[in-house]
Amino acid sequence: MTSVNSLVDIAVFGIVGAIMMAALIGLLLVLPGGAREAPPGVRVAFGAASVVLLVALPVLAAANTLSAGSGFWTAFAVASCVVAVVYAVNVAMLPLVARRQAASGDRSALASLRPSLPVLAVGLLVCLTLGLVGASVAALII
């Protein structure tokens, strides 16, 4: 029964994180002038919100998993999967960002926004690292 609870945690926290990350990206895209012409304070606020989202959701998912009686490695797997779902939404939103940048006249943005295999591999390592951080913080809290 623990595996079903873990899958539910991944689905719930992953979907919430994906929706929140898509909303952040969408808000950044609709700013007048795009992200490049946004004031530095706005860019810092969006970056801070993204970091908080990428740390808080795995911690909450891992804490929920640990409180259900699962072990640390199960909590680590759940937290890593939650971050991976949010990461997948970021990768899926890249074509939208590229089209928006191209519409604003920046043609070089199209080439720089296509993820390559090494970039996706580094993203997977980041997901695992954030999952480990989330599970560790949850283990300290619980």
Side-chain angles (χ1 to χ4, degrees), residues 41-110:
V42 172
R43 287 185 284 175
V44 168
F46 275 99
S50 296
V51 169
V52 166
L53 183 69
L54 286 171
V55 172
L57 282 174
V59 169
L60 291 172
N64 196 23
T65 303
L66 287 172
S67 67
S70 299
F72 176 80
W73 294 111
T74 304
F76 164 69
V78 167
S80 296
C81 288
V82 167
V83 177
V85 169
V86 175
Y87 177 68
V89 167
N90 281 328
V91 171
M93 295 279 295
L94 279 177
L96 179 65
V97 172
R99 276 184 270 154
R100 171 76 169 149
Q101 290 294 328
S104 68
D106 187 11
R107 297 285 179 202
S108 65
L110 286 174

Side-chain angles (χ1 to χ4, degrees), residues 2-141:
T2 303
S3 62
V4 173
N5 290 336
S6 298
L7 290 175
V8 170
D9 287 340
I10 291 169
V12 169
F13 288 103
I15 290 171
V16 166
I19 290 170
M20 291 175 72
M21 189 60 73
L24 280 174
I25 292 171
L27 285 174
L28 193 58
L29 286 176
V30 297
L31 284 175
R36 288 186 180 218
E37 296 178 13
V42 172
R43 287 185 284 175
V44 168
F46 275 99
S50 296
V51 169
V52 166
L53 183 69
L54 286 171
V55 172
L57 282 174
V59 169
L60 291 172
N64 196 23
T65 303
L66 287 172
S67 67
S70 299
F72 176 80
W73 294 111
T74 304
F76 164 69
V78 167
S80 296
C81 288
V82 167
V83 177
V85 169
V86 175
Y87 177 68
V89 167
N90 281 328
V91 171
M93 295 279 295
L94 279 177
L96 179 65
V97 172
R99 276 184 270 154
R100 171 76 169 149
Q101 290 294 328
S104 68
D106 187 11
R107 297 285 179 202
S108 65
L110 286 174
S112 64
L113 288 177
R114 290 192 180 126
S116 63
L117 190 57
V119 170
L120 293 174
V122 169
L124 180 62
L125 288 175
V126 169
C127 290
L128 293 174
T129 303
L130 287 172
L132 184 62
V133 167
S136 300
V137 170
L140 291 174
I141 292 173

